[in-house]
Amino acid sequence: QVQLVESGGGLVQAGGSLRLSCAASGLTFSRYTMGWFRQAPGKERDFVAAISWSGGGTSYADFVKGRFTISRDNTKNTVFLQMNSLKPEDTAVYYCAAASRYYVGSTGYDYWGQGTQVTVSS
């Protein structure tokens, strides 16, 4: 069974940083596009970032404004989201997702993690 397990969330002050991790199992990780999404209270789930099979292609939502960086380590079956200069509006549950194709977009994901909470205080 495919499993995606996020970690690294927590409470941080505005301007601080967090690094989220998502460990994947049950899939051929290097042949899956990986993405990050987030859902704030009372809002829809939004695309944050995606990364291609070997990490050479990435895409980002406008609202991360160059503050976030997605990366992956295929030797560890793990995708990361480095979040810098965090703002209170970044507060959300962050989810990782996997797509079984070459893809670096916001749609078409096959598997989802359970999410990790990120709370940014002002």
PDB file of all heavy atoms in Angstrom, residues 90-112:
ATOM      1  N   ASP A  90       0.454  31.741   6.239  1.00  0.00           N
ATOM      2  CA  ASP A  90       0.939  30.421   5.863  1.00  0.00           C
ATOM      3  C   ASP A  90       0.399  29.326   6.772  1.00  0.00           C
ATOM      4  O   ASP A  90       0.623  28.140   6.504  1.00  0.00           O
ATOM      5  CB  ASP A  90       2.467  30.377   5.888  1.00  0.00           C
ATOM      6  CG  ASP A  90       3.100  31.271   4.842  1.00  0.00           C
ATOM      7  OD1 ASP A  90       2.597  31.310   3.700  1.00  0.00           O
ATOM      8  OD2 ASP A  90       4.116  31.932   5.163  1.00  0.00           O
ATOM      9  N   THR A  91      -0.270  29.705   7.840  1.00  0.00           N
ATOM     10  CA  THR A  91      -0.835  28.728   8.762  1.00  0.00           C
ATOM     11  C   THR A  91      -1.819  27.826   8.032  1.00  0.00           C
ATOM     12  O   THR A  91      -2.765  28.302   7.400  1.00  0.00           O
ATOM     13  CB  THR A  91      -1.530  29.428   9.930  1.00  0.00           C
ATOM     14  OG1 THR A  91      -0.555  30.134  10.697  1.00  0.00           O
ATOM     15  CG2 THR A  91      -2.245  28.428  10.834  1.00  0.00           C
ATOM     16  N   ALA A  92      -1.593  26.525   8.099  1.00  0.00           N
ATOM     17  CA  ALA A  92      -2.416  25.565   7.377  1.00  0.00           C
ATOM     18  C   ALA A  92      -1.944  24.161   7.709  1.00  0.00           C
ATOM     19  O   ALA A  92      -0.876  23.972   8.299  1.00  0.00           O
ATOM     20  CB  ALA A  92      -2.318  25.790   5.860  1.00  0.00           C
ATOM     21  N   VAL A  93      -2.740  23.186   7.306  1.00  0.00           N
ATOM     22  CA  VAL A  93      -2.267  21.815   7.261  1.00  0.00           C
ATOM     23  C   VAL A  93      -1.606  21.614   5.905  1.00  0.00           C
ATOM     24  O   VAL A  93      -2.208  21.908   4.872  1.00  0.00           O
ATOM     25  CB  VAL A  93      -3.410  20.807   7.460  1.00  0.00           C
ATOM     26  CG1 VAL A  93      -2.899  19.381   7.319  1.00  0.00           C
ATOM     27  CG2 VAL A  93      -4.056  21.001   8.832  1.00  0.00           C
ATOM     28  N   TYR A  94      -0.379  21.123   5.910  1.00  0.00           N
ATOM     29  CA  TYR A  94       0.376  20.906   4.690  1.00  0.00           C
ATOM     30  C   TYR A  94       0.377  19.424   4.343  1.00  0.00           C
ATOM     31  O   TYR A  94       0.680  18.577   5.186  1.00  0.00           O
ATOM     32  CB  TYR A  94       1.809  21.411   4.846  1.00  0.00           C
ATOM     33  CG  TYR A  94       1.897  22.913   4.757  1.00  0.00           C
ATOM     34  CD1 TYR A  94       1.416  23.720   5.781  1.00  0.00           C
ATOM     35  CD2 TYR A  94       2.440  23.537   3.635  1.00  0.00           C
ATOM     36  CE1 TYR A  94       1.466  25.099   5.694  1.00  0.00           C
ATOM     37  CE2 TYR A  94       2.499  24.909   3.542  1.00  0.00           C
ATOM     38  CZ  TYR A  94       2.008  25.688   4.574  1.00  0.00           C
ATOM     39  OH  TYR A  94       2.070  27.061   4.471  1.00  0.00           O
ATOM     40  N   TYR A  95       0.052  19.113   3.087  1.00  0.00           N
ATOM     41  CA  TYR A  95      -0.052  17.753   2.604  1.00  0.00           C
ATOM     42  C   TYR A  95       0.945  17.509   1.480  1.00  0.00           C
ATOM     43  O   TYR A  95       1.148  18.381   0.635  1.00  0.00           O
ATOM     44  CB  TYR A  95      -1.451  17.486   2.032  1.00  0.00           C
ATOM     45  CG  TYR A  95      -2.584  17.678   3.003  1.00  0.00           C
ATOM     46  CD1 TYR A  95      -3.173  18.922   3.179  1.00  0.00           C
ATOM     47  CD2 TYR A  95      -3.082  16.600   3.736  1.00  0.00           C
ATOM     48  CE1 TYR A  95      -4.227  19.101   4.066  1.00  0.00           C
ATOM     49  CE2 TYR A  95      -4.132  16.770   4.612  1.00  0.00           C
ATOM     50  CZ  TYR A  95      -4.704  18.019   4.781  1.00  0.00           C
ATOM     51  OH  TYR A  95      -5.753  18.188   5.656  1.00  0.00           O
ATOM     52  N   CYS A  96       1.532  16.326   1.453  1.00  0.00           N
ATOM     53  CA  CYS A  96       2.283  15.935   0.275  1.00  0.00           C
ATOM     54  C   CYS A  96       1.440  15.000  -0.573  1.00  0.00           C
ATOM     55  O   CYS A  96       0.501  14.360  -0.093  1.00  0.00           O
ATOM     56  CB  CYS A  96       3.636  15.300   0.624  1.00  0.00           C
ATOM     57  SG  CYS A  96       3.563  13.723   1.473  1.00  0.00           S
ATOM     58  N   ALA A  97       1.765  14.940  -1.850  1.00  0.00           N
ATOM     59  CA  ALA A  97       1.018  14.136  -2.802  1.00  0.00           C
ATOM     60  C   ALA A  97       1.959  13.587  -3.861  1.00  0.00           C
ATOM     61  O   ALA A  97       3.020  14.163  -4.118  1.00  0.00           O
ATOM     62  CB  ALA A  97      -0.087  14.972  -3.451  1.00  0.00           C
ATOM     63  N   ALA A  98       1.554  12.485  -4.484  1.00  0.00           N
ATOM     64  CA  ALA A  98       2.357  11.817  -5.500  1.00  0.00           C
ATOM     65  C   ALA A  98       1.537  11.581  -6.752  1.00  0.00           C
ATOM     66  O   ALA A  98       0.371  11.185  -6.667  1.00  0.00           O
ATOM     67  CB  ALA A  98       2.893  10.487  -4.969  1.00  0.00           C
ATOM     68  N   ALA A  99       2.143  11.815  -7.910  1.00  0.00           N
ATOM     69  CA  ALA A  99       1.518  11.578  -9.208  1.00  0.00           C
ATOM     70  C   ALA A  99       2.376  10.604  -9.999  1.00  0.00           C
ATOM     71  O   ALA A  99       3.577  10.839 -10.172  1.00  0.00           O
ATOM     72  CB  ALA A  99       1.351  12.880  -9.981  1.00  0.00           C
ATOM     73  N   SER A 100       1.765   9.533 -10.499  1.00  0.00           N
ATOM     74  CA  SER A 100       2.496   8.460 -11.179  1.00  0.00           C
ATOM     75  C   SER A 100       2.753   8.776 -12.649  1.00  0.00           C
ATOM     76  O   SER A 100       2.398   8.017 -13.545  1.00  0.00           O
ATOM     77  CB  SER A 100       1.738   7.144 -11.053  1.00  0.00           C
ATOM     78  OG  SER A 100       0.440   7.261 -11.631  1.00  0.00           O
ATOM     79  N   ARG A 101       3.392   9.895 -12.887  1.00  0.00           N
ATOM     80  CA  ARG A 101       3.746  10.328 -14.222  1.00  0.00           C
ATOM     81  C   ARG A 101       4.740  11.469 -14.128  1.00  0.00           C
ATOM     82  O   ARG A 101       4.952  12.016 -13.041  1.00  0.00           O
ATOM     83  CB  ARG A 101       2.514  10.779 -15.008  1.00  0.00           C
ATOM     84  CG  ARG A 101       1.731  11.898 -14.337  1.00  0.00           C
ATOM     85  CD  ARG A 101       0.378  12.074 -15.030  1.00  0.00           C
ATOM     86  NE  ARG A 101      -0.469  13.027 -14.330  1.00  0.00           N
ATOM     87  CZ  ARG A 101      -0.622  14.307 -14.670  1.00  0.00           C
ATOM     88  NH1 ARG A 101       0.040  14.800 -15.710  1.00  0.00           N
ATOM     89  NH2 ARG A 101      -1.436  15.085 -13.982  1.00  0.00           N
ATOM     90  N   TYR A 102       5.340  11.819 -15.254  1.00  0.00           N
ATOM     91  CA  TYR A 102       6.203  12.982 -15.290  1.00  0.00           C
ATOM     92  C   TYR A 102       5.310  14.210 -15.358  1.00  0.00           C
ATOM     93  O   TYR A 102       4.598  14.428 -16.342  1.00  0.00           O
ATOM     94  CB  TYR A 102       7.148  12.942 -16.491  1.00  0.00           C
ATOM     95  CG  TYR A 102       8.164  14.046 -16.450  1.00  0.00           C
ATOM     96  CD1 TYR A 102       9.338  13.907 -15.713  1.00  0.00           C
ATOM     97  CD2 TYR A 102       7.955  15.240 -17.129  1.00  0.00           C
ATOM     98  CE1 TYR A 102      10.267  14.923 -15.657  1.00  0.00           C
ATOM     99  CE2 TYR A 102       8.881  16.268 -17.075  1.00  0.00           C
ATOM    100  CZ  TYR A 102      10.037  16.101 -16.336  1.00  0.00           C
ATOM    101  OH  TYR A 102      10.959  17.116 -16.285  1.00  0.00           O
ATOM    102  N   TYR A 103       5.373  15.050 -14.312  1.00  0.00           N
ATOM    103  CA  TYR A 103       4.417  16.134 -14.141  1.00  0.00           C
ATOM    104  C   TYR A 103       4.913  17.063 -13.044  1.00  0.00           C
ATOM    105  O   TYR A 103       5.432  16.596 -12.031  1.00  0.00           O
ATOM    106  CB  TYR A 103       3.070  15.523 -13.749  1.00  0.00           C
ATOM    107  CG  TYR A 103       1.971  16.487 -13.416  1.00  0.00           C
ATOM    108  CD1 TYR A 103       1.216  17.090 -14.419  1.00  0.00           C
ATOM    109  CD2 TYR A 103       1.649  16.766 -12.091  1.00  0.00           C
ATOM    110  CE1 TYR A 103       0.194  17.964 -14.110  1.00  0.00           C
ATOM    111  CE2 TYR A 103       0.625  17.637 -11.776  1.00  0.00           C
ATOM    112  CZ  TYR A 103      -0.108  18.233 -12.788  1.00  0.00           C
ATOM    113  OH  TYR A 103      -1.129  19.097 -12.483  1.00  0.00           O
ATOM    114  N   VAL A 104       4.751  18.353 -13.252  1.00  0.00           N
ATOM    115  CA  VAL A 104       5.151  19.331 -12.236  1.00  0.00           C
ATOM    116  C   VAL A 104       4.062  20.384 -12.070  1.00  0.00           C
ATOM    117  O   VAL A 104       4.343  21.565 -11.894  1.00  0.00           O
ATOM    118  CB  VAL A 104       6.503  19.996 -12.555  1.00  0.00           C
ATOM    119  CG1 VAL A 104       7.641  19.030 -12.323  1.00  0.00           C
ATOM    120  CG2 VAL A 104       6.529  20.534 -13.979  1.00  0.00           C
ATOM    121  N   GLY A 105       2.817  19.943 -12.090  1.00  0.00           N
ATOM    122  CA  GLY A 105       1.699  20.852 -11.999  1.00  0.00           C
ATOM    123  C   GLY A 105       0.885  20.682 -10.731  1.00  0.00           C
ATOM    124  O   GLY A 105       1.296  20.014  -9.777  1.00  0.00           O
ATOM    125  N   SER A 106      -0.288  21.279 -10.734  1.00  0.00           N
ATOM    126  CA  SER A 106      -1.130  21.361  -9.551  1.00  0.00           C
ATOM    127  C   SER A 106      -2.239  20.314  -9.505  1.00  0.00           C
ATOM    128  O   SER A 106      -2.969  20.258  -8.517  1.00  0.00           O
ATOM    129  CB  SER A 106      -1.762  22.753  -9.460  1.00  0.00           C
ATOM    130  OG  SER A 106      -2.581  23.011 -10.584  1.00  0.00           O
ATOM    131  N   THR A 107      -2.378  19.521 -10.556  1.00  0.00           N
ATOM    132  CA  THR A 107      -3.461  18.548 -10.629  1.00  0.00           C
ATOM    133  C   THR A 107      -2.931  17.179 -11.012  1.00  0.00           C
ATOM    134  O   THR A 107      -1.785  17.027 -11.425  1.00  0.00           O
ATOM    135  CB  THR A 107      -4.535  18.977 -11.643  1.00  0.00           C
ATOM    136  OG1 THR A 107      -3.948  19.076 -12.947  1.00  0.00           O
ATOM    137  CG2 THR A 107      -5.135  20.327 -11.272  1.00  0.00           C
ATOM    138  N   GLY A 108      -3.776  16.176 -10.887  1.00  0.00           N
ATOM    139  CA  GLY A 108      -3.467  14.837 -11.335  1.00  0.00           C
ATOM    140  C   GLY A 108      -2.761  13.962 -10.323  1.00  0.00           C
ATOM    141  O   GLY A 108      -2.141  12.968 -10.702  1.00  0.00           O
ATOM    142  N   TYR A 109      -2.846  14.283  -9.066  1.00  0.00           N
ATOM    143  CA  TYR A 109      -2.154  13.505  -8.039  1.00  0.00           C
ATOM    144  C   TYR A 109      -2.961  12.286  -7.620  1.00  0.00           C
ATOM    145  O   TYR A 109      -4.187  12.356  -7.487  1.00  0.00           O
ATOM    146  CB  TYR A 109      -1.817  14.397  -6.840  1.00  0.00           C
ATOM    147  CG  TYR A 109      -0.729  15.374  -7.199  1.00  0.00           C
ATOM    148  CD1 TYR A 109      -1.021  16.589  -7.802  1.00  0.00           C
ATOM    149  CD2 TYR A 109       0.608  15.043  -6.984  1.00  0.00           C
ATOM    150  CE1 TYR A 109      -0.020  17.458  -8.175  1.00  0.00           C
ATOM    151  CE2 TYR A 109       1.617  15.912  -7.351  1.00  0.00           C
ATOM    152  CZ  TYR A 109       1.304  17.111  -7.946  1.00  0.00           C
ATOM    153  OH  TYR A 109       2.314  17.979  -8.318  1.00  0.00           O
ATOM    154  N   ASP A 110      -2.255  11.186  -7.418  1.00  0.00           N
ATOM    155  CA  ASP A 110      -2.885   9.898  -7.154  1.00  0.00           C
ATOM    156  C   ASP A 110      -2.966   9.546  -5.679  1.00  0.00           C
ATOM    157  O   ASP A 110      -3.903   8.869  -5.246  1.00  0.00           O
ATOM    158  CB  ASP A 110      -2.109   8.788  -7.863  1.00  0.00           C
ATOM    159  CG  ASP A 110      -1.974   9.028  -9.344  1.00  0.00           C
ATOM    160  OD1 ASP A 110      -3.014   9.077 -10.033  1.00  0.00           O
ATOM    161  OD2 ASP A 110      -0.819   9.167  -9.828  1.00  0.00           O
ATOM    162  N   TYR A 111      -1.980   9.967  -4.912  1.00  0.00           N
ATOM    163  CA  TYR A 111      -1.890   9.590  -3.506  1.00  0.00           C
ATOM    164  C   TYR A 111      -1.626  10.809  -2.654  1.00  0.00           C
ATOM    165  O   TYR A 111      -0.953  11.748  -3.083  1.00  0.00           O
ATOM    166  CB  TYR A 111      -0.764   8.562  -3.294  1.00  0.00           C
ATOM    167  CG  TYR A 111      -0.910   7.327  -4.137  1.00  0.00           C
ATOM    168  CD1 TYR A 111      -0.097   7.127  -5.245  1.00  0.00           C
ATOM    169  CD2 TYR A 111      -1.861   6.366  -3.834  1.00  0.00           C
ATOM    170  CE1 TYR A 111      -0.228   6.000  -6.032  1.00  0.00           C
ATOM    171  CE2 TYR A 111      -2.002   5.235  -4.622  1.00  0.00           C
ATOM    172  CZ  TYR A 111      -1.183   5.059  -5.716  1.00  0.00           C
ATOM    173  OH  TYR A 111      -1.322   3.942  -6.495  1.00  0.00           O
ATOM    174  N   TRP A 112      -2.134  10.766  -1.426  1.00  0.00           N
ATOM    175  CA  TRP A 112      -2.054  11.898  -0.509  1.00  0.00           C
ATOM    176  C   TRP A 112      -1.652  11.450   0.883  1.00  0.00           C
ATOM    177  O   TRP A 112      -2.040  10.377   1.331  1.00  0.00           O
ATOM    178  CB  TRP A 112      -3.410  12.607  -0.420  1.00  0.00           C
ATOM    179  CG  TRP A 112      -3.833  13.212  -1.705  1.00  0.00           C
ATOM    180  CD1 TRP A 112      -4.440  12.578  -2.747  1.00  0.00           C
ATOM    181  CD2 TRP A 112      -3.665  14.574  -2.100  1.00  0.00           C
ATOM    182  NE1 TRP A 112      -4.667  13.474  -3.771  1.00  0.00           N
ATOM    183  CE2 TRP A 112      -4.203  14.691  -3.398  1.00  0.00           C
ATOM    184  CE3 TRP A 112      -3.124  15.698  -1.478  1.00  0.00           C
ATOM    185  CZ2 TRP A 112      -4.208  15.904  -4.095  1.00  0.00           C
ATOM    186  CZ3 TRP A 112      -3.123  16.897  -2.160  1.00  0.00           C
ATOM    187  CH2 TRP A 112      -3.668  16.994  -3.450  1.00  0.00           C
TER     188      TRP A 112
END
